Amino acid sequence: MSIPVILDGDPGHDDAIAWVLAFAAKGLDVRGVTTVGGNSSLANTTYNARRILTLLGATDIPLAQGATRPLVVEPMIAPSVHGESGLDGPALPEPEMDVQPGGAVELMARLLRETAEPIWLVPTGALTNVAILLLAHPELKPKIAGISLMGGGIQSGNWTPAAEFNILVDPQAAQIVFESGLPLRMAGLDVTEKACFLPQDFDRVRAIGGQLAEIVADWLEFFFEFHREIGYEGAPVHDPVAIVALTNPEILQTRDLYVQIETAGQYACGATIGDWYGSAGQPPNTQVAMGIDRQAYVDLIVEAVAEHTRRLAS
Ligand code: RIB
Ligand code: CA
């Protein structure tokens, strides 16, 4: 039984790898892709998305560009991590597809109206598009199976000591999502910092051979450069964990928590605050991933690259 999904992201090296996994995974049915600013400008992440879908031979999948800015705060980008283009490193094919007219929220709403079964939303960037969808189309919430997101961190942040990048880019959007009442699966830094690819794993990917494997290995090596400079032994490949939470939840250890989003605060804006001891008096609203079988995670992504390479060759 395949799980229908809409991918929303800010590619971004790890978003790109998450999308390779999503398209290769036998258990997923990708209905559409939408873009948001974050790792780079919206224009860059959208151009990158067009190139990634072209690379994957997925030019038939509807793609739409998302919100031009966060709901309230000023836009923020991360060229130090992903480069000026947002996907620096290997050369990619020029796009063979363009975005749908109407934008991300209109595409998401159309796909939700048309689907026979509820669809999972899988955002791996700021939550702006998802928040706008929930505000503009509350009548479509029954068609959303849930939201499996990469973002947040109960125990720490990365862009500030308290906040993870995706949540910090648009805290108000995150608050709308976490207060939506929809089933939430959160792949935050608690788990994604353990989802590390080591240099020997890069070599496993490259050894598959072919253009896709070369590009994914180059993406991993580029993504590792930033992290190596700050003392990492590997590259924390954050975004694919949001996919794995749907396709292979057995490799994750999770905890159901009531999670709130700090939208103000001098030091903690963008924090995802987990209620470990029930002191907020609220039931859990989020399944938070806290641990992962790292080897199994690496194996899944290596196999996804090999599987998609076979498909492209057939
Ligand atoms: O904090 C990591 C997250 O921010 C990942 O989704 C990465 O792609 C960036 O968007
Ligand atoms: Ca991302």
Side-chain angles (χ1 to χ4, degrees), residues 145-161:
I147 301 171
S148 184
L149 63 96
M150 190 280 142
I154 303 300
Q155 294 161 316
S156 77
N158 57 1
W159 213 252
T160 73

Side-chain angles (χ1 to χ4, degrees), residues 233-278:
E233 291 180 4
V237 187
H238 305 281
D239 291 335
V241 183
I243 302 291
V244 161
L246 295 178
T247 59
N248 300 88
E250 71 280 1
I251 74 165
L252 301 177
Q253 293 84 49
T254 63
R255 173 84 182 262
D256 291 342
L257 290 175
Y258 177 59
V259 177
Q260 295 168 284
I261 308 297
E262 178 55 73
T263 58
Q266 184 176 350
Y267 301 110
C269 185
T272 48
I273 300 162
D275 182 12
W276 285 104
Y277 304 108

Side-chain angles (χ1 to χ4, degrees), residues 107-118:
L107 174 60
M108 286 173 165
R110 174 171 68 79
L111 293 170
L112 290 170
R113 273 193 289 272
E114 291 172 354
T115 185
E117 65 274 71

